[in-house]
mmCIF file of all heavy atoms in Angstrom:
data_model
loop_
_atom_site.group_PDB
_atom_site.id
_atom_site.type_symbol
_atom_site.label_atom_id
_atom_site.label_comp_id
_atom_site.label_asym_id
_atom_site.label_seq_id
_atom_site.Cartn_x
_atom_site.Cartn_y
_atom_site.Cartn_z
ATOM 1 N N THR A 128 -16.993 35.943 -2.870
ATOM 2 C CA THR A 128 -18.131 36.533 -3.573
ATOM 3 C C THR A 128 -17.719 36.981 -4.970
ATOM 4 O O THR A 128 -18.392 36.673 -5.969
ATOM 5 C CB THR A 128 -18.687 37.721 -2.774
ATOM 6 O OG1 THR A 128 -19.228 37.255 -1.542
ATOM 7 C CG2 THR A 128 -19.777 38.443 -3.556
ATOM 8 N N VAL A 132 -19.095 34.921 -8.473
ATOM 9 C CA VAL A 132 -19.859 35.606 -9.528
ATOM 10 C C VAL A 132 -19.168 35.429 -10.883
ATOM 11 O O VAL A 132 -19.826 35.289 -11.920
ATOM 12 C CB VAL A 132 -20.007 37.101 -9.189
ATOM 13 C CG1 VAL A 132 -20.574 37.877 -10.378
ATOM 14 C CG2 VAL A 132 -20.911 37.283 -7.974
ATOM 15 N N ARG A 142 -30.192 35.126 -15.635
ATOM 16 C CA ARG A 142 -29.131 35.613 -14.758
ATOM 17 C C ARG A 142 -29.579 36.890 -14.038
ATOM 18 O O ARG A 142 -29.962 37.871 -14.672
ATOM 19 C CB ARG A 142 -27.871 35.893 -15.561
ATOM 20 C CG ARG A 142 -26.694 36.387 -14.704
ATOM 21 C CD ARG A 142 -25.494 36.771 -15.556
ATOM 22 N NE ARG A 142 -24.381 37.219 -14.743
ATOM 23 C CZ ARG A 142 -23.416 36.431 -14.274
ATOM 24 N NH1 ARG A 142 -23.431 35.149 -14.570
ATOM 25 N NH2 ARG A 142 -22.449 36.915 -13.530
ATOM 26 N N PRO A 143 -29.496 36.913 -12.700
ATOM 27 C CA PRO A 143 -29.832 38.142 -11.963
ATOM 28 C C PRO A 143 -28.764 39.211 -12.174
ATOM 29 O O PRO A 143 -27.668 38.929 -12.679
ATOM 30 C CB PRO A 143 -29.857 37.678 -10.492
ATOM 31 C CG PRO A 143 -29.877 36.187 -10.536
ATOM 32 C CD PRO A 143 -29.194 35.802 -11.808
ATOM 33 N N ASP A 144 -29.073 40.412 -11.775
ATOM 34 C CA ASP A 144 -28.095 41.488 -11.833
ATOM 35 C C ASP A 144 -26.896 41.139 -10.944
ATOM 36 O O ASP A 144 -27.050 40.545 -9.867
ATOM 37 C CB ASP A 144 -28.738 42.787 -11.353
ATOM 38 C CG ASP A 144 -27.779 43.957 -11.410
ATOM 39 O OD1 ASP A 144 -27.509 44.451 -12.505
ATOM 40 O OD2 ASP A 144 -27.309 44.365 -10.325
ATOM 41 N N ASP A 145 -25.672 41.497 -11.411
ATOM 42 C CA ASP A 145 -24.465 41.164 -10.660
ATOM 43 C C ASP A 145 -24.497 41.738 -9.242
ATOM 44 O O ASP A 145 -24.028 41.100 -8.294
ATOM 45 C CB ASP A 145 -23.221 41.684 -11.396
ATOM 46 C CG ASP A 145 -22.734 40.691 -12.439
ATOM 47 O OD1 ASP A 145 -23.403 39.657 -12.628
ATOM 48 O OD2 ASP A 145 -21.680 40.951 -13.062
ATOM 49 N N ALA A 146 -25.031 42.940 -9.097
ATOM 50 C CA ALA A 146 -25.095 43.552 -7.762
ATOM 51 C C ALA A 146 -25.958 42.710 -6.821
ATOM 52 O O ALA A 146 -25.621 42.518 -5.648
ATOM 53 C CB ALA A 146 -25.640 44.972 -7.860
ATOM 54 N N LEU A 147 -27.085 42.185 -7.340
ATOM 55 C CA LEU A 147 -27.959 41.337 -6.525
ATOM 56 C C LEU A 147 -27.272 40.014 -6.192
ATOM 57 O O LEU A 147 -27.368 39.512 -5.068
ATOM 58 C CB LEU A 147 -29.273 41.084 -7.258
ATOM 59 C CG LEU A 147 -30.290 40.184 -6.532
ATOM 60 C CD1 LEU A 147 -30.694 40.804 -5.199
ATOM 61 C CD2 LEU A 147 -31.515 39.946 -7.413
ATOM 62 N N LEU A 148 -26.563 39.446 -7.174
ATOM 63 C CA LEU A 148 -25.834 38.197 -6.932
ATOM 64 C C LEU A 148 -24.805 38.378 -5.821
ATOM 65 O O LEU A 148 -24.689 37.543 -4.907
ATOM 66 C CB LEU A 148 -25.123 37.743 -8.215
ATOM 67 C CG LEU A 148 -25.870 36.796 -9.158
ATOM 68 C CD1 LEU A 148 -25.002 36.480 -10.365
ATOM 69 C CD2 LEU A 148 -26.263 35.519 -8.443
ATOM 70 N N ARG A 149 -24.049 39.466 -5.908
ATOM 71 C CA ARG A 149 -23.018 39.719 -4.900
ATOM 72 C C ARG A 149 -23.642 39.910 -3.514
ATOM 73 O O ARG A 149 -23.133 39.392 -2.516
ATOM 74 C CB ARG A 149 -22.215 40.972 -5.281
ATOM 75 C CG ARG A 149 -21.329 40.781 -6.499
ATOM 76 C CD ARG A 149 -20.652 42.090 -6.892
ATOM 77 N NE ARG A 149 -19.876 41.932 -8.101
ATOM 78 C CZ ARG A 149 -18.623 41.485 -8.152
ATOM 79 N NH1 ARG A 149 -18.010 41.157 -7.024
ATOM 80 N NH2 ARG A 149 -17.982 41.356 -9.289
ATOM 81 N N GLU A 150 -24.724 40.640 -3.465
ATOM 82 C CA GLU A 150 -25.378 40.898 -2.186
ATOM 83 C C GLU A 150 -25.922 39.603 -1.583
ATOM 84 O O GLU A 150 -25.792 39.354 -0.377
ATOM 85 C CB GLU A 150 -26.510 41.908 -2.386
ATOM 86 C CG GLU A 150 -27.094 42.434 -1.099
ATOM 87 C CD GLU A 150 -28.103 43.541 -1.348
ATOM 88 O OE1 GLU A 150 -29.273 43.206 -1.618
ATOM 89 O OE2 GLU A 150 -27.721 44.725 -1.278
ATOM 90 N N ALA A 151 -26.523 38.761 -2.430
ATOM 91 C CA ALA A 151 -27.073 37.495 -1.942
ATOM 92 C C ALA A 151 -25.967 36.581 -1.424
ATOM 93 O O ALA A 151 -26.123 35.920 -0.386
ATOM 94 C CB ALA A 151 -27.846 36.800 -3.065
ATOM 95 N N LEU A 152 -24.843 36.543 -2.119
ATOM 96 C CA LEU A 152 -23.716 35.714 -1.685
ATOM 97 C C LEU A 152 -23.119 36.246 -0.396
ATOM 98 O O LEU A 152 -22.851 35.491 0.553
ATOM 99 C CB LEU A 152 -22.646 35.681 -2.776
ATOM 100 C CG LEU A 152 -22.897 34.742 -3.950
ATOM 101 C CD1 LEU A 152 -21.928 35.063 -5.093
ATOM 102 C CD2 LEU A 152 -22.741 33.294 -3.520
ATOM 103 N N TYR A 153 -22.892 37.547 -0.351
ATOM 104 C CA TYR A 153 -22.211 38.168 0.786
ATOM 105 C C TYR A 153 -23.041 38.072 2.066
ATOM 106 O O TYR A 153 -22.518 37.771 3.136
ATOM 107 C CB TYR A 153 -21.913 39.629 0.449
ATOM 108 C CG TYR A 153 -21.118 40.375 1.503
ATOM 109 C CD1 TYR A 153 -19.745 40.190 1.624
ATOM 110 C CD2 TYR A 153 -21.739 41.269 2.363
ATOM 111 C CE1 TYR A 153 -19.016 40.876 2.582
ATOM 112 C CE2 TYR A 153 -21.026 41.959 3.327
ATOM 113 C CZ TYR A 153 -19.655 41.768 3.429
ATOM 114 O OH TYR A 153 -18.941 42.441 4.376
ATOM 115 N N LEU A 154 -24.336 38.307 1.940
ATOM 116 C CA LEU A 154 -25.187 38.349 3.133
ATOM 117 C C LEU A 154 -25.681 36.967 3.561
ATOM 118 O O LEU A 154 -25.855 36.719 4.754
ATOM 119 C CB LEU A 154 -26.390 39.256 2.887
ATOM 120 C CG LEU A 154 -26.095 40.751 2.688
ATOM 121 C CD1 LEU A 154 -27.390 41.506 2.420
ATOM 122 C CD2 LEU A 154 -25.396 41.327 3.910
ATOM 123 N N ASP A 169 -35.919 37.890 -3.402
ATOM 124 C CA ASP A 169 -35.029 38.206 -4.510
ATOM 125 C C ASP A 169 -33.645 37.591 -4.310
ATOM 126 O O ASP A 169 -33.020 37.096 -5.256
ATOM 127 C CB ASP A 169 -34.913 39.723 -4.714
ATOM 128 C CG ASP A 169 -34.522 40.459 -3.442
ATOM 129 O OD1 ASP A 169 -34.580 39.852 -2.350
ATOM 130 O OD2 ASP A 169 -34.162 41.648 -3.536
ATOM 131 N N HIS A 170 -33.171 37.583 -3.047
ATOM 132 C CA HIS A 170 -31.890 36.957 -2.771
ATOM 133 C C HIS A 170 -31.969 35.442 -2.930
ATOM 134 O O HIS A 170 -31.045 34.809 -3.448
ATOM 135 C CB HIS A 170 -31.426 37.307 -1.358
ATOM 136 C CG HIS A 170 -31.043 38.747 -1.195
ATOM 137 N ND1 HIS A 170 -31.556 39.546 -0.194
ATOM 138 C CD2 HIS A 170 -30.206 39.539 -1.907
ATOM 139 C CE1 HIS A 170 -31.054 40.761 -0.292
ATOM 140 N NE2 HIS A 170 -30.233 40.778 -1.329
ATOM 141 N N ALA A 173 -31.832 34.545 -6.555
ATOM 142 C CA ALA A 173 -30.472 34.686 -7.091
ATOM 143 C C ALA A 173 -29.617 33.479 -6.718
ATOM 144 O O ALA A 173 -28.851 32.961 -7.551
ATOM 145 C CB ALA A 173 -29.840 35.973 -6.568
ATOM 146 N N LEU A 204 -15.747 47.315 -8.960
ATOM 147 C CA LEU A 204 -17.093 47.284 -9.527
ATOM 148 C C LEU A 204 -17.348 48.459 -10.461
ATOM 149 O O LEU A 204 -18.146 48.356 -11.398
ATOM 150 C CB LEU A 204 -18.134 47.287 -8.398
ATOM 151 C CG LEU A 204 -18.116 46.069 -7.465
ATOM 152 C CD1 LEU A 204 -19.208 46.199 -6.413
ATOM 153 C CD2 LEU A 204 -18.294 44.792 -8.257
#
Side-chain angles (χ1 to χ4, degrees):
T128 295
V132 170
R142 181 185 181 91
D144 181 75
D145 274 4
L147 179 61
L148 269 180
R149 290 175 184 275
E150 190 174 84
L152 281 167
Y153 184 77
L154 294 179
D169 53 347
H170 291 128
L204 297 181

